[in-house]
Amino acid sequence: MFPTLKKPDLVRQQAIIGGAWLDADSGATADVTDPATGAVLGTIPAMGAAETERAIEAAAAAFPAWAAKSAKERAALLRRWNDLMLAHADDLAAIMTAEQGKPLTEARGEIVYGASFIEWFADEARRVYGETIPSPWADKRLVVIKQPIGVCAAITPWNFPNAMLARKVGPALAAGCTMVVKPAAQTPYSALAMAVLAEEAGIPAGVINIVTGTDAAAIGGVMTASPVVKKLTFTGSTQVGRLLMRQSADTIKKLSLELGGNAPFIVFDDADLDAAVEGAMIAKFRNNGQTCVCANRIYVQQPVYDAFAEKLTAKVKALKMGNGFEAGVTVGPLIDEKAVAKVKEHLADAVAKGGTIVTGGEHTGGNFITPAVVTGVSPAMKISTEETFGPLAPLIPFETEAEAIRLANATEFGLASYFYSRDIGRVWRVAEALEAGMVGINTGLVSTAEAPFGGVKQSGLGREGSRHGIEDYLEMKYLCMGI
Ligand code: ADP
């Protein structure tokens, strides 16, 4: 069960459509479990196509009045929502740890990070500037105005149940759009708790609608087919992203896609090795390796390979795995059995192809696998080509800068990348050569509301956060005025 909350009504076992908290039409429910214990936390309505249709109608009904509010009014409501999220951060963190598994301090960090997007876009709402264009005609004036796209649909994953939603709802609402959201079935309570606070902040009924359920294909099918939905924003796997993009073709929907990553983390021989180890720990083991910007392939230049491996292994051994509610725990469980199976598969494949597990990699029961370091990794192994999404650090040796760049770019993905070097020429060369939307240079942590988050290649479309993030929810309209 959930731990005792200061505000128990943050936990809702119903979905919200048009301001009404509802069960599924059929009355069917789905269980939500604690990944650390396997215990059932509660249920959610198992909604499907019909409820999704109604949520879209509710969002469409709420749109004109929401879009007509001044940017300053919308900003005030968003700021109030941000304040409530921060005021209830402890409860929101506890809800997240219960359903997602991450350590409580990390969950609290995510609440603050998520809220920062609501705050940021509250401010950006007031900076949606248009344009005046010098006219080539003496008798015409040319102006560009920005308007909200309309009803948007959002599908979010389980790894950051609060932040992934905040990064979408924040800019959408700031721009004047209304939303229908489908959170991941594993982590719906974080999303529903945010909706409780949005309601309390005074955000009108129908502006944020949340549809819960396990039949993602049915809900996503209605979202993509609907001509009322003008835009879809999705964070999740590349495979599902491709499917949603295909499904959105018939209605020419605008898309923001934040898909898989396979981040390279390169340590050059001139790097500050301790700093690189520190960065690798953050980039690899945050959220137990379950982030799309996690370092997935760690390339280390030959002369420092052994020293780096030794230092990293010592740090990994010092991690404390356990239930996220226990004090001092730094890595929680994986989300579910499927995630455990994938990490085990990657480990077995690496060992079969000549890799060595230096530490960790033991499945200790349930969804727990001890954090692992693998050396002697070759490009033929699955850990070199696929996203592991787990606590497994593969160390791959390389000789030259050109080789490191070639290996780093040898993937269909292009989300985050990281490298450590103190040579300013190399820093520029490598930063420009990496095929990625984000490059961490001498740091293992790049995300913040002020900066554009997103990928190139098959890692997605669009950017979240920064002054660019709101543009994804705006249309420009060109006015040509005869005078
Ligand atoms: P993961 O493997 O991290 O769960 P997914 O891409 O499967 O990544 O899931 C991300 C989100 O996409 C979740 O909310 C999930 O329910 C949803 N999803 C999965 N399959 C579909 C689908 N066919 N249509 C719409 N949404 C989907």
Side-chain angles (χ1 to χ4, degrees):
M1 275 316 296
F2 285 102
T4 312
L5 302 179
K6 284 182 220 126
K7 184 173 163 55
D9 71 341
L10 282 174
V11 177
R12 295 294 171 101
Q13 305 198 47
Q14 288 182 307
I16 180 164
I17 296 174
W21 291 93
L22 300 169
D23 296 323
D25 290 351
S26 64
T29 60
D31 289 346
V32 180
T33 56
D34 176 343
T37 63
V40 174
L41 291 169
T43 63
I44 45 162
M47 292 181 159
E51 295 90 338
T52 309
E53 292 281 6
R54 285 208 302 281
I56 293 169
E57 283 166 23
F63 175 67
W66 182 248
K69 279 193 189 299
S70 71
K72 189 169 169 157
E73 287 172 309
R74 287 197 300 271
L77 291 169
L78 286 171
R79 207 166 301 115
R80 209 174 298 153
W81 191 23
N82 161 70
D83 293 346
L84 285 171
M85 273 171 62
L86 294 179
H88 296 288
D90 289 340
D91 279 354
L92 294 174
I95 291 170
M96 190 187 302
T97 295
E99 66 179 358
Q100 204 275 345
K102 67 180 67 179
L104 198 55
T105 43
E106 228 179 292
R108 205 178 185 289
E110 184 185 332
I111 302 301
V112 174
Y113 172 74
S116 76
F117 282 85
I118 307 295
E119 182 195 34
W120 171 261
F121 285 109
D123 292 344
E124 285 303 292
R126 300 173 69 189
R127 296 191 192 102
V128 176
Y129 299 120
E131 232 180 309
T132 56
I133 300 170
S135 175
W137 301 295
D139 59 347
K140 287 183 187 171
R141 297 292 178 264
L142 320 185
V143 174
V144 175
I145 61 168
K146 302 264 181 81
Q147 294 179 306
I149 288 186
V151 174
C152 299
I155 299 177
T156 56
W158 49 262
N159 60 345
F160 290 93
N162 177 293
M164 294 304 103
L165 202 69
R167 290 207 313 207
K168 297 177 187 321
V169 182
L173 266 56
C177 299
T178 55
M179 268 210 152
V180 179
V181 178
K182 190 205 86 63
Q186 296 94 327
T187 56
Y189 294 132
S190 292
L192 295 168
M194 286 169 78
V196 172
L197 296 177
E199 222 179 4
E200 280 186 28
I203 293 172
V207 172
I208 304 171
N209 306 277
I210 300 188
V211 178
T212 58
T214 48
D215 193 349
I219 298 169
V222 171
M223 285 175 163
T224 47
S226 169
V228 178
V229 175
K230 297 296 185 293
K231 180 197 168 85
L232 174 75
T233 170
F234 170 75
T235 298
S237 61
T238 298
Q239 186 194 353
V240 173
R242 273 191 204 105
L243 178 75
L244 293 171
M245 193 169 181
R246 209 171 286 137
Q247 288 177 194
S248 295
D250 286 342
T251 51
I252 316 287
K253 239 178 255 325
K254 297 195 183 303
L255 292 167
S256 288
L257 302 174
E258 209 263 88
L259 309 176
N262 183 0
F265 186 105
I266 309 168
V267 182
F268 288 102
D269 59 5
D270 63 283
D272 175 336
L273 222 51
D274 290 323
V277 169
E278 212 49 62
M281 290 301 295
I282 295 167
K284 177 68 251 183
F285 292 102
R286 195 162 61 98
N287 207 13
N288 208 7
Q290 303 173 108
T291 91
C292 50
V293 292
C294 266
N296 201 52
R297 304 166 284 152
I298 303 179
Y299 297 106
V300 189
Q301 204 157 12
Q302 276 292 1
V304 295
Y305 185 87
D306 289 340
F308 181 87
E310 199 178 305
K311 283 171 186 277
L312 186 78
T313 304
K315 290 265 184 199
V316 171
K317 281 184 173 164
L319 289 171
K320 187 176 171 205
M321 185 178 76
N323 189 311
F325 284 110
E326 273 169 40
V329 162
T330 47
V331 284
L334 288 164
I335 190 71
D336 55 22
E337 280 169 20
K338 226 175 75 192
V340 170
K342 184 160 191 195
V343 175
K344 285 170 83 172
E345 183 197 332
H346 280 198
L347 279 167
D349 174 76
V351 170
K353 290 173 182 160
T356 307
I357 302 174
V358 190
T359 184
E362 294 150 58
H363 183 201
T364 60
N367 296 327
F368 289 96
I369 292 191
T370 53
V373 176
V374 182
T375 56
V377 175
S378 68
M381 297 174 184
K382 284 184 180 171
I383 46 177
S384 293
T385 53
E386 291 177 24
E387 204 177 14
T388 307
F389 236 64
L392 193 177
L395 304 187
I396 308 155
F398 72 91
E399 304 275 350
T400 66
E401 184 182 308
E403 184 191 4
I405 292 168
R406 183 176 54 75
L407 288 168
N409 288 341
T411 167
E412 69 200 31
F413 298 109
L415 194 60
S417 57
Y418 308 87
F419 69 93
Y420 276 71
S421 169
R422 286 178 293 193
D423 174 331
I424 189 69
R426 170 174 277 165
V427 164
W428 274 105
R429 282 193 304 275
V430 177
E432 289 179 359
L434 286 174
E435 296 166 0
M438 296 169 283
V439 186
I441 303 160
N442 298 322
T443 178
L445 188 70
V446 298
S447 333
T448 177
E450 291 80 359
F453 187 108
V456 300
K457 296 161 83 176
Q458 294 184 34
S459 285
L461 301 171
R463 293 293 182 271
E464 294 187 327
S466 81
R467 69 186 170 86
H468 305 285
I470 198 164
E471 295 293 333
D472 277 23
Y473 295 88
L474 293 165
E475 288 281 16
M476 63 172 93
K477 186 183 278 174
Y478 159 46
L479 313 180
C480 181
M481 286 184 269
I483 58 171

